[in-house]
Amino acid sequence: MTGDLPEYYFRIRDNGALVFRLDTGNRQRRIEMEQIAAVNVRSGEVKPQGGRALTEADRAEIDRWIADRKALLEAREVDDILRTVDHMNLTTQWAQSQASADDLEMVTDALLLAMHDLRTVLVRKKADRLLKDA
């Protein structure tokens, strides 16, 4: 297993990751993880850890990871929205064919308010795009 390990490991956390340099070149052939930095994906901020300076290779790998992570999160965000559309359709089918009166009483106001809010934002954004294009 140790021959296939990358040089760096990124432990995902809210808004970023902790960056570790991996080392298997010790006598016990154990995997040692040395934390070298903390990364904030939103701001792009990289904080070296333990009073060390990052090498150019460290920084290049961290920058590559940040770019890849941002692209992944953007793709997931769009996928989440498309799943929401599917879920809305399933909710419609549930309300029409399976929901009891008590079930509907429990969810109707919350759904109507959320749908109204979403519709208002979508209509306003669509109008802004149409005016901009005109």
Side-chain angles (χ1 to χ4, degrees), residues 105-118:
E105 187 61 36
M106 196 174 357
V107 301
T108 297
D109 290 343
L111 281 170
L112 286 173
L113 287 170
M115 291 176 358
H116 175 73
D117 186 29
L118 176 61

Side-chain angles (χ1 to χ4, degrees), residues 55-124:
T55 66
E56 286 184 30
D58 294 338
R59 189 60 203 222
E61 185 64 20
I62 290 169
D63 290 344
R64 184 201 58 75
W65 181 87
I66 290 172
D68 290 350
R69 185 70 179 169
K70 284 182 177 180
L72 176 64
L73 293 174
E74 288 173 14
R76 283 183 181 169
E77 186 173 42
V78 170
D79 188 55
D80 286 347
I81 300 305
L82 293 173
R83 287 174 195 249
T84 299
V85 172
D86 288 349
H87 201 80
M88 288 175 66
N89 284 309
L90 293 169
T91 302
T92 302
Q93 184 62 31
W94 170 82
Q96 183 176 6
S97 63
Q98 293 176 291
S100 69
D102 288 341
D103 292 338
L104 291 172
E105 187 61 36
M106 196 174 357
V107 301
T108 297
D109 290 343
L111 281 170
L112 286 173
L113 287 170
M115 291 176 358
H116 175 73
D117 186 29
L118 176 61
R119 183 183 187 284
T120 301
V121 170
L122 291 175
V123 168
R124 185 178 66 242

Side-chain angles (χ1 to χ4, degrees), residues 24-39:
T24 58
N26 54 57
R27 290 184 358 186
Q28 295 84 14
R29 300 205 32 92
R30 291 185 181 152
I31 300 169
E32 295 190 16
M33 298 172 56
E34 174 189 15
Q35 185 178 344
I36 62 170
V39 175

